[in-house]
Amino acid sequence: MLSSALIRSLKMSNRPKVFISRSDYPEAGIKLLRDRCEIEVYNSLEKDVPTNELLNKLVGKDALFITSKNKINKEVVEAAGKNGVKVIATMSVGLDHIDLEAIKRTSIKIGYTPDVLTEATAELTVALLLATSRRIVEGHKTIVSGEWKMWTPTFMCGQGLYKSIVGFVGFGRIGQSIAKKLIPFGTSKILYSGPRRKHEGDQLGAEFIDFDSLLQQSDFVIVTCPLTSETEGIFTAEKFSLMKRSAIFINSARGAIVDQESLVHALKNKIIAAAGLDVMTPEPLPKDHPLVSLDNCVLTPHIGSATLETRDEMCILTAKNILAALDGEKMPAEYIL
């Protein structure tokens, strides 16, 4: 007769094995996995798991729980396939950190977290736009440094949203949510560019135009498109030169969509008025980077989805994606290649 300890051991050995790339994920989602799976957690908070360590962690695992900071390149994908990994679930909506072409040559499923972070990211983008256009951070600095000596009619004047033209590069869920939040400010026109005209754009009264025309007409240019081979580096010096000198540039998508040296040049030389960035290259941005020293650039540390509720929901959805894939069931949010 088998002892209770041996029975427990056998049950544990038969549980699916999941590698979790950080130890500080919200507990709500991790508990779902802990109750059903044998989990191994990468305990370093000082760094993201490097490729050579990740390759070792794949051995014997059925699933990976990652974020957009974990680079799942061709080497990792091939090793995951050979080791029998069934699902890679990322706590992000962007998938530029995963080699999807390599994934196509395997049976590995990909889970991601669309929808649940839309509103949080849209809110942060609006906050970044207002902070940049109305020079909130600059104004705060004048008080802290004692530079604010008196009120004058032209002191700290910025750009207003009222009667402005707002252009979106990419008009998916997040872009549409931002547009809905900005229209009540009394914007005169919403423009968007992308692969195709969208029914949702028509419903909002937005105008679909080409990329260059959008840059030339917009008072505010907001980047919400995904990072792909087609969008990488599309904001070049030439594109910034098309924009109004009074234009405000906002990016809450991915840093690599922008040629950052060209952006620095445009800001330093007043080719555009200002920029607000939640994403940049690299991340974290070094404190001595040229962007940090520019008064006309507002930076936030990639916190688009950083509300407690949203991060909980993202973690829970990531866990549910893993469990569904391991059970052979339909995943709540599978990325279909």
Side-chain angles (χ1 to χ4, degrees):
M1 183 175 179
L2 296 176
S3 68
S4 58
L6 181 56
I7 291 172
R8 284 196 300 271
S9 176
L10 289 172
K11 286 182 178 178
M12 287 292 292
S13 66
N14 289 329
R15 299 174 85 189
K17 297 175 175 59
V18 181
F19 175 69
I20 299 174
S21 67
R22 298 189 62 86
S23 61
D24 57 350
Y25 286 113
E27 177 60 21
I30 301 306
K31 184 180 185 304
L32 293 177
L33 295 175
R34 189 183 294 112
D35 291 345
R36 293 272 313 277
C37 306
E38 181 181 332
I39 65 173
E40 180 181 353
V41 179
Y42 187 68
N43 286 312
S44 174
L45 295 178
E46 303 300 319
K47 61 179 181 178
D48 294 308
V49 56
T51 299
N52 63 323
E53 290 190 52
L54 182 55
L55 290 170
N56 292 329
K57 300 296 184 182
L58 291 173
V59 178
K61 299 300 188 300
D62 298 288
L64 302 183
F65 187 124
I66 64 168
T67 72
S68 61
K69 299 304 175 186
N70 303 123
K71 303 304 178 186
I72 309 300
N73 59 21
K74 181 181 177 182
E75 182 183 13
V76 173
V77 171
E78 290 178 348
K82 290 177 183 177
N83 280 283
V85 171
K86 299 176 181 65
V87 57
I88 298 174
T90 180
M91 200 174 105
S92 66
V93 66
L95 295 167
D96 50 279
H97 55 299
I98 301 174
D99 189 330
L100 297 177
E101 287 302 315
I103 290 288
K104 288 179 182 179
R105 296 189 286 273
T106 72
S107 60
I108 298 171
K109 294 181 178 294
I110 297 295
Y112 70 137
T113 58
D115 299 323
V116 294
L117 52 70
T118 297
E119 293 306 314
T121 305
E123 288 174 1
L124 185 280
T125 306
V126 173
L128 189 58
L129 186 156
L130 290 171
T132 304
S133 62
R134 294 305 303 270
R135 304 174 69 180
I136 302 297
V137 177
E138 286 182 81
H140 175 78
K141 287 179 179 177
T142 66
I143 297 174
V144 173
S145 66
E147 295 175 33
W148 184 31
K149 303 300 183 184
M150 62 182 295
W151 181 92
T152 67
T154 57
F155 180 63
M156 297 301 299
C157 288
Q159 307 291 337
L161 272 167
Y162 182 59
K163 294 185 178 180
S164 68
I165 298 174
V166 182
F168 289 86
V169 180
F171 205 57
R173 298 179 187 90
I174 294 172
Q176 292 163 28
S177 179
I178 297 167
K180 290 174 184 176
K181 291 170 172 55
L182 294 182
I183 289 171
F185 281 88
T187 54
S188 68
K189 189 182 293 185
I190 299 292
L191 309 175
Y192 70 98
S193 65
R196 65 187 183 282
R197 180 174 172 174
K198 295 195 171 186
H199 174 66
E200 295 85 352
D202 294 342
Q203 290 182 316
L204 288 171
E207 182 181 343
F208 177 58
I209 63 173
D210 66 89
F211 184 33
D212 285 0
S213 296
L214 181 144
L215 298 179
Q216 292 166 343
Q217 295 181 38
S218 299
D219 298 301
F220 298 90
V221 174
I222 304 175
V223 185
T224 60
C225 62
L227 174 60
T228 65
S229 57
E230 288 77 25
T231 63
E232 184 173 6
I234 58 172
F235 278 93
T236 60
E238 177 190 358
K239 298 305 180 185
F240 285 117
S241 70
L242 294 176
M243 294 168 61
K244 298 177 180 179
R245 295 185 75 85
S246 59
I248 306 290
F249 177 76
I250 303 294
N251 187 7
S252 58
R254 286 290 186 267
I257 295 169
V258 181
D259 178 350
Q260 205 155 262
E261 288 187 10
S262 295
L263 175 58
V264 170
H265 177 80
L267 291 169
K268 280 184 175 179
N269 293 278
K270 302 298 192 293
I271 294 169
I272 61 172
L277 310 174
D278 187 46
V279 290
M280 53 224 70
T281 305
E283 293 181 2
L285 195 69
K287 64 180 181 180
D288 59 350
H289 192 277
L291 285 173
V292 176
S293 63
L294 296 174
D295 287 336
N296 59 343
C297 185
V298 176
L299 302 169
T300 53
H302 204 148
I303 55 173
S305 63
T307 68
L308 295 172
E309 299 83 0
T310 298
R311 291 288 169 83
D312 275 352
E313 290 179 20
M314 291 171 70
C315 192
I316 290 169
L317 180 54
T318 305
K320 287 182 175 180
N321 277 332
I322 287 174
L323 293 173
L326 295 178
D327 289 340
E329 298 176 356
K330 180 179 174 59
M331 295 164 64
E334 179 180 0
Y335 185 81
I336 307 299
L337 296 165

